[in-house]
């Protein structure tokens, strides 16, 4: 459906081989990129996927219709819509506005089939428990790059007075009414903060969340909850104080721009020695990322809602260490590595958020990149050029890094399993083509 709306008229010379609607077919798509074009032009940044994935389940907290502007058209958003629909929510998503009608909720369960597709499904736990006193949510398994526990989410629910059982792969959470609590997270977690926040807004009494995540997506969630009638202090900081209320009401909101999508286009432009202007972006959410691009030799200009980047002939090697917001995002680590694969000198990239997030490395190596990984640190030895090859997407940001590498590689690069990229990048081949990239989406037998 997505592609019918976004791409049908704009598929290039291989249009005959492209299947538009069937999801199964969609899984088989691949990208063919002919590298070497400098990207130039402007690109509009879509709404933030990770904020939408929190805002949508938050609508479960009240009866009525919520209207969320700037909701991107992505596979992950479709998965969240399907999940909410199984609970009785009516979802309409024409264009970039999504409308959710929560007047007829009849199930409090998130089935394995959907949770295994997307871990953010776990976000329904907090709101269901807070509002209905019951939630049955499939326990998420590992993710592509290793174990990703949910212990902090569960501890927070227990602190709020929930009884938690694990039964046949499901988390079953029960409470008559949650009661305010002092929750202190050992690790700063986006998901656990979001879940705790959504549970606490309807709890009896005061909840304090310490070491809360300060990512803009959590701030956006807190602001939306406030619009629904929640009482939250300290929004944007790492200590949130929530005064529980009896009920919330439906509300409308406008989503923030996707800072990771923005960073990905900057990386693609920088790697190709190009020039790009991002529209509808919030530069204040990209401060550290932009300073890294400057260090690498890029000229950066920012306005209220735009960023321009002009790349040097050759990028300088710049080390990055990922950290919680406002540090360098782990979701930009793979793209940075692809860029540094063609920079002048050697770069050290350390991921302190996800120690195992290096699935893109063997694929980048297939394109000729020189990268050594020890524990959670990669050393990238910059080369003049990469060489096209067939590579495989393993997860969302890994696939973005492969596209960037393909754009600078000599010859053709084929990126298989692009369903990973469709989870989080709206119409990426169209946006890249508008910037002058030679990229086609084709149906493929390879998987
Ligand atoms: C969110 C983002 C993801 C991003 C990540 C870090 C969404 C839908 N996804 O994921 O794109 O990469 O933030 O910015 O918003 N942890 C625990 N126990 C828990 C929960 C987390 O140990 O119960 C650990 C994780 O293993 C990780 C760290 O906490 O090392 C941070 O993870 P977290 O912030 O929770 O990531 P997500 O919310 O899953």
């Amino acid at each position: 459906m997505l592609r019918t709306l976004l791409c049908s008229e704009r598929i290039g010379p291989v249009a005959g081989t492209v299947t538009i609607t069937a999801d199964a077919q969609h899984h088989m798509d691949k990208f063919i990129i002919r590298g070497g074009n400098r990207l130039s032009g402007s690109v509009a940044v879509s709404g933030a996927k990770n904020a939408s994935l929190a805002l949508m389940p938050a609508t479960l907290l009240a009866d009525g219709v919520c209207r969320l502007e700037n909701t991107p058209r992505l596979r992950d958003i479709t998965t969240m819509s399907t999940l909410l629909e199984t609970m009785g929510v009516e979802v309409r998503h024409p264009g970039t506005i999504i409308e959710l009608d929560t007047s007829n909720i009849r199930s409090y369960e998130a089935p394995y089939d959907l949770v295994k597709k997307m871990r953010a499904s776990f976000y329904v736990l907090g709101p269901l428990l807070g509002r209905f006193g019951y939630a049955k949510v499939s326990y998420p398994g590992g993710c592509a790059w290793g174990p990703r526990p949910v212990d902090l989410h569960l501890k927070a629910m227990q602190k709020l007075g929930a009884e938690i059982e694990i039964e046949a792969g499901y988390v079953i959470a029960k409470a008559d009414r949650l009661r305010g609590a002092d929750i202190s997270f050992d690790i700063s977690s986006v998901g656990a903060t979001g879940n705790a926040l959504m549970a606490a807004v309807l709890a009896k009494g005061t909840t304090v969340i310490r070491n809360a995540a300060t990512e803009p997506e959590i701030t956006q969630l807190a602001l939306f909850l406030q619009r629904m009638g929640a009482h939250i202090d300290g929004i944007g900081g790492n200590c949130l104080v929530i005064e529980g209320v009896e009920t919330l009401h439906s509300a409308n909101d406008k989503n923030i721009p996707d800072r990771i999508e923005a960073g990905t286009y900057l990386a693609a432009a920088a790697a190709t020695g190009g020039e790009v202007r991002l529209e509808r972006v919030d530069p204040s959410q990209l401060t550290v990322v932009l300073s890294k691009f400057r260090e690498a030799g890029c000229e950066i200009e920012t306005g209220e809602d735009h960023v321009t980047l002009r790349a040097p002939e050759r990028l300088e090697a710049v080390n990055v260490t990922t950290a919680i917001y406002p540090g360098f995002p782990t979701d930009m680590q793979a793209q940075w590595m692809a860029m540094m694969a063609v920079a002048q000198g050697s770069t050290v990239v350390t991921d302190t958020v996800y120690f195992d997030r290096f699935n893109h490395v063997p694929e980048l190596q297939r394109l000729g990149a020189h990268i050594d990984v020890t524990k959670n640190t990669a050393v990238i030895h910059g080369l003049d050029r990469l060489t096209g090859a067939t590579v495989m997407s393993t997860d969302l940001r890994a696939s973005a890094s492969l596209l960037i590498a393909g754009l600078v590689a000599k010859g053709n690069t084929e990126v298989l399993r692009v369903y990973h990229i469709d989870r989080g990048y709206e119409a990426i081949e169209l946006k890249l083509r508008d910037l002058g990239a030679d990229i086609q989406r084709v149906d493929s037998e390879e998987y």
Side-chain angles (χ1 to χ4, degrees):
M1 191 55 181
L2 169 68
R3 294 180 48 212
T4 320
L5 291 169
L6 291 172
C7 322
S8 54
E9 289 154 40
R10 303 184 56 189
I11 298 292
V14 285
T17 60
V18 177
T19 310
I20 302 295
T21 47
D23 208 43
Q25 288 285 340
H26 200 83
H27 269 58
M28 308 287 273
D29 286 355
K30 68 179 175 186
F31 284 133
I32 302 178
I33 305 160
R34 194 208 306 266
N37 293 3
R38 277 176 186 230
L39 299 194
S40 91
S42 71
V43 60
V45 173
S46 299
K49 170 181 81 83
N50 287 349
S52 288
L53 291 176
L55 298 179
M56 291 170 68
T59 66
L60 291 168
L61 286 161
D63 253 2
V65 179
C66 295
R67 202 165 176 268
L68 303 170
E69 283 177 50
N70 203 25
T71 302
R73 301 194 62 90
L74 298 168
R75 283 176 69 86
D76 274 7
I77 300 298
T78 308
T79 305
M80 183 57 84
S81 297
T82 306
L83 172 60
L84 296 175
E85 278 166 351
T86 64
M87 296 173 182
V89 181
E90 274 178 42
V91 184
R92 286 175 296 278
H93 193 179
T96 56
I97 294 177
I98 197 163
E99 272 180 10
L100 304 111
D101 184 346
T102 55
S103 309
N104 295 305
I105 294 170
R106 50 174 184 266
S107 151
Y108 315 128
E109 185 173 330
Y112 177 61
D113 268 1
L114 293 168
V115 180
K116 75 168 194 259
K117 273 192 184 172
M118 184 182 72
R119 301 174 57 83
S121 307
F122 210 65
Y123 264 144
V124 299
L125 176 66
L128 286 177
L129 190 58
R131 173 138 179 244
F132 303 105
Y134 179 86
K136 181 175 175 187
V137 180
S138 173
Y139 205 105
C143 118
W145 67 82
R148 283 177 76 183
V150 289
D151 56 313
L152 298 173
H153 301 239
L154 300 183
K155 276 186 201 148
M157 299 305 142
Q158 280 167 330
K159 274 263 179 183
L160 292 165
E163 261 179 56
I164 306 270
E165 282 170 49
I166 312 291
E167 212 179 276
Y170 279 78
V171 173
I172 297 173
K174 292 180 199 158
D176 284 337
R177 178 163 180 207
L178 296 176
R179 46 172 203 275
D182 198 315
I183 299 168
S184 189
F185 287 122
D186 292 340
I187 303 173
S188 174
S189 159
V190 173
T193 303
N195 243 335
L197 193 53
M198 288 190 275
V201 287
L202 286 178
K204 190 173 169 53
T206 310
T207 298
V208 182
I209 305 179
R210 298 176 204 278
N211 198 18
T214 61
E215 270 68 6
E217 295 73 22
I218 290 297
T219 299
Q220 174 68 8
L221 170 65
L223 292 171
F224 178 56
L225 293 171
Q226 248 185 354
R227 282 170 172 260
M228 295 178 81
H231 293 174
I232 307 169
D233 266 350
I235 295 177
N238 64 4
C239 182
L240 298 170
V241 180
I242 302 118
E243 207 59 59
V245 293
E246 292 290 323
T247 54
L248 296 172
H249 50 79
S250 59
N252 301 330
D253 208 348
K254 183 171 181 199
N255 190 18
I256 52 172
D258 197 310
R259 61 197 169 99
I260 306 300
E261 189 201 19
T264 302
Y265 285 106
L266 293 177
T272 63
E275 202 176 321
V276 70
R277 180 181 162 101
L278 302 181
E279 306 282 0
R280 287 196 241 147
V281 66
D282 183 347
S284 72
Q285 296 172 352
L286 284 161
T287 313
V288 169
V289 172
L290 294 180
S291 74
K292 289 289 173 184
F293 278 105
R294 283 198 182 99
E295 263 186 74
C298 300
E299 276 175 46
I300 302 278
E301 280 166 26
T302 60
E304 202 179 318
D305 64 352
H306 68 264
V307 173
T308 57
L309 174 147
R310 199 167 302 117
E313 272 309 308
R314 184 90 192 264
L315 292 164
E316 296 291 332
V318 175
N319 300 344
V320 297
T321 299
T322 68
I324 56 172
Y325 189 79
F328 191 91
T330 174
D331 286 350
M332 274 296 295
Q333 180 257 98
Q335 300 90 310
W336 194 262
M337 240 194 239
M339 237 175 84
M340 290 294 114
V342 290
Q344 176 77 48
S346 293
T347 308
V348 182
V349 171
T350 304
D351 200 322
T352 67
V353 179
Y354 292 113
F355 280 46
D356 315 311
R357 196 174 192 176
F358 293 108
N359 277 339
H360 42 287
V361 170
E363 301 300 311
L364 289 172
Q365 284 167 337
R366 287 183 53 73
L367 298 172
H370 282 187
I371 306 175
D372 300 313
V373 179
T374 317
K375 291 190 180 147
N376 63 330
T377 294
V379 179
I380 304 113
H381 307 282
L383 302 169
D384 287 343
R385 211 147 192 203
L386 302 176
T387 315
T390 300
V391 288
M392 194 150 70
S393 303
T394 51
D395 63 74
L396 174 57
R397 306 304 168 188
S399 0
S401 81
L402 297 177
L403 289 195
I404 293 168
L407 291 170
V408 293
K410 190 169 158 49
N412 278 1
T413 295
E414 301 202 353
V415 181
L416 307 182
R417 299 191 180 177
V418 302
Y419 58 89
H420 287 292
I421 211 156
D422 292 333
R423 290 185 60 174
Y425 289 91
E426 192 173 67
I428 192 166
E429 73 274 31
L430 303 185
K431 291 188 181 186
L432 285 174
R433 223 180 291 151
D434 274 352
L435 294 174
D438 186 341
I439 176 169
Q440 303 292 341
R441 179 190 289 262
V442 298
D443 188 11
S444 162
E445 294 302 309
E446 292 160 273
Y447 185 65

